[in-house]
Amino acid sequence: MNLPSEWVEKGDAFLRDAENHIRDGLYWLSCFEAQQAAELYLKGFLLAKAGTYPFTHDLAELLRTIKSLGIDVPVELYVYADALSGEYTLSRYPGRKPRVYNGDTAIRCVEYARRIIEFIRSASKDPG
């Protein structure tokens, strides 16, 4: 199964930007972009596999939808998804909760997104 190229290109661009913003010290933006990268890959996968996707930013919900298609989703991905979804909300809406972003947080966000993206790339190659 081929992932939709526009979705992959945008996801890859967000992931590159997330990495660059760590170097720039824009940690909140890095977390936002990491979540966006993972979201684009998850929705692109669902679009390719099912022709549609839920209209949500909740990565765990997107993973549950993938699981409902009979695809085994590793449990740790739900942990990464929940963390990224929370960071997305906090970084997008300043003042909701006090949050201090730092390099460790941003690196973790990017790593979580990478793991979700690796899973999607692998699942899209699976003949099932």
Side-chain angles (χ1 to χ4, degrees):
M1 167 181 57
N2 291 325
L3 296 173
S5 62
E6 187 176 2
W7 292 73
V8 169
E9 290 167 13
K10 287 183 179 187
D12 289 344
F14 270 116
L15 193 59
R16 274 191 313 275
D17 286 347
E19 292 166 341
N20 290 335
H21 284 120
I22 291 172
R23 289 190 295 275
D24 297 339
L26 294 169
Y27 305 127
W28 68 270
L29 187 53
S30 183
C31 287
F32 174 83
E33 291 164 334
Q35 187 280 344
Q36 289 290 281
E39 182 179 335
L40 283 161
Y41 265 88
L42 290 166
K43 287 179 177 178
F45 179 86
L46 286 166
L47 192 59
K49 185 82 171 167
T52 190
Y53 56 86
F55 291 93
T56 183
H57 298 292
D58 185 335
L59 302 183
E61 182 179 338
L62 295 170
L63 286 171
R64 285 190 295 275
T65 304
I66 289 171
K67 185 175 182 171
S68 76
L69 299 173
I71 296 164
D72 186 32
V73 176
V75 173
E76 66 269 12
L77 291 186
Y78 291 100
V79 174
Y80 305 150
D82 282 338
L84 280 174
S85 292
E87 294 296 349
Y88 166 81
T89 301
L90 291 174
S91 66
R92 183 172 179 184
Y93 301 107
R96 275 191 74 174
K97 281 188 174 178
R99 175 72 160 120
V100 176
Y101 284 91
N102 60 40
D104 290 338
T105 303
I107 289 167
R108 192 170 43 253
C109 287
V110 169
E111 179 60 26
Y112 291 171
R114 283 192 173 286
R115 295 204 182 181
I116 291 170
I117 289 168
E118 287 169 9
F119 166 74
I120 291 301
R121 286 179 177 155
S122 175
S124 68
K125 293 177 183 169
D126 201 4

